[in-house]
Amino acid sequence: MRGRFIVFEGIDGSGKTTQARLLANRLEENGASVVMTAEPTELPTGKALRAALGGKAKKSECEMAVLFVEDRIAHNIAPVGGIEELLESGAWVICDRYYYSTLAYQGQSTDYEWVKSMNLRCPQIRKPDLCIYVDLLPEQSLERISKGRETVEIYENIETLSKVREQFLSVIRDLGETDNICIVDGYRGVDEISEDIYAIVSLLG
Ligand code: TMP
C-alpha cells in the first residue's frame, strides 16, 4: 500500500501528539513504514519559530504566519526527510500540526483570507490525505499542560486558546468541501480515542 499523509491538529494540550504516536505504532505493527514528523520542524526555519514561541524572540503575528509558511515549504521539499521525499519512498507520514494550525492561530490574529491563500495556493505545500482534529475545551487542555510541564508558550492561555478553538472549528467548516477532516472527541480515555482514529484511518484504504 502506498504511503499516506496524515495530519493531527488540536489546541495546545489536546492530546494530539499522544494520538499521533499511538497511530504510528499501530500502523507499524501492521507492517507499514511510518515516519512521524511535526511543525514547527527541526529545520533552521522551525528553530526560529521555537525561539519566538518560547518568548525569546519577539515576532509580530504576521511575521509568525510567514515563518510558519516558510517552515512548511522547507518541510515539504527537504531532499532528505521532507514530506514529498518520504511519500515518494512509500512511507506513511504522520505530522503533528500543519496548515490548519496556521489558519487557526495566525488566521484569528491577522487576516484569515491572507493566511489561507498563502497556505492553500502555495504549489509547494501539499494537501494531506486526512486531518484528524482532536477536540478539547481550553479549560481541559490547560489543566493538562499545567500538570505536565514547567514552561508555558506564548499561546497557552485561556483567552488565546478559546479564540483558537473557535477558529479551528470555523476552519473545519470552511475547508469541509476540499479537505478530508475528521473531528474526534478528545475528552475520553486515550485508548478509546485511539480506536476511533484507527477506524477512521482504515477507511483510507
Ligand atoms: P506544539 O505545542 O504542537 O509543539 O506547537 C507549538 C505551538 O505553535 C503551539 O502553540 C501552536 C503554534 N503553532 C502556530 O501558532 N501556528 C502553526 O502554524 C503551527 C504549526 C503551530
Side-chain angles (χ1 to χ4, degrees):
M1 196 198 223
R2 77 175 177 87
R4 300 292 188 149
F5 179 27
I6 302 176
V7 167
F8 278 78
E9 292 282 5
I11 58 171
D12 303 65
S14 59
K16 66 186 167 41
T17 308
T18 305
Q19 289 301 331
R21 261 195 222 109
L22 289 170
L23 175 66
N25 293 347
R26 192 139 175 203
L27 289 168
E28 266 171 356
E29 278 162 23
N30 289 342
S33 149
V34 184
V35 178
M36 279 198 66
T37 182
E39 293 187 1
T41 65
E42 294 298 324
L43 298 165
T45 41
K47 289 195 175 127
L49 279 162
R50 284 277 166 214
L53 289 165
K56 284 199 201 92
K58 266 235 150 299
K59 297 278 180 201
S60 75
E61 283 296 294
C62 286
E63 286 177 300
M64 292 296 277
V66 171
L67 286 171
F68 277 115
V69 170
E70 197 186 349
D71 190 38
R72 187 155 304 126
I73 294 171
H75 196 192
N76 270 267
I77 66 174
V80 179
I83 294 168
E84 290 298 334
E85 187 258 336
L86 291 168
L87 290 170
E88 195 77 15
S89 76
W92 286 64
V93 179
I94 300 188
C95 188
D96 189 345
R97 293 197 185 280
Y98 199 57
Y99 59 60
Y100 309 93
S101 279
T102 316
L103 269 60
Y105 286 79
Q106 286 69 44
Q108 63 83 29
S109 57
T110 67
D111 181 277
Y112 178 71
E113 291 301 329
W114 171 64
V115 173
K116 181 177 169 183
S117 116
M118 271 199 297
N119 280 276
L120 273 69
R121 300 190 65 172
C122 173
Q124 292 187 315
I125 296 182
R126 167 186 279 264
K127 189 200 294 279
D129 294 302
L130 172 67
C131 166
I132 292 175
Y133 175 72
V134 181
D135 190 35
L136 199 65
L137 292 173
E139 293 80 0
Q140 296 158 344
S141 81
L142 284 169
E143 199 186 320
R144 286 190 188 172
I145 291 171
S146 69
K147 282 186 191 147
R149 295 200 239 123
E150 308 235 308
T151 54
V152 172
E153 290 183 342
I154 53 172
Y155 300 129
E156 292 172 348
N157 58 74
I158 190 82
E159 295 77 21
T160 305
L161 290 188
S162 300
K163 285 191 210 145
V164 169
R165 177 172 179 268
E166 284 308 311
Q167 182 78 358
F168 258 127
L169 297 175
S170 143
V171 169
I172 292 168
R173 282 192 296 274
D174 184 33
L175 301 188
E177 301 273 299
T178 53
D179 288 38
N180 183 15
I181 310 174
C182 287
I183 301 180
V184 300
D185 174 5
Y187 195 62
R188 294 176 296 160
V190 170
D191 293 340
E192 198 183 329
I193 302 171
S194 169
E195 280 303 319
D196 253 19
I197 292 174
Y198 192 69
I200 294 167
V201 170
S202 304
L203 293 176
L204 282 177

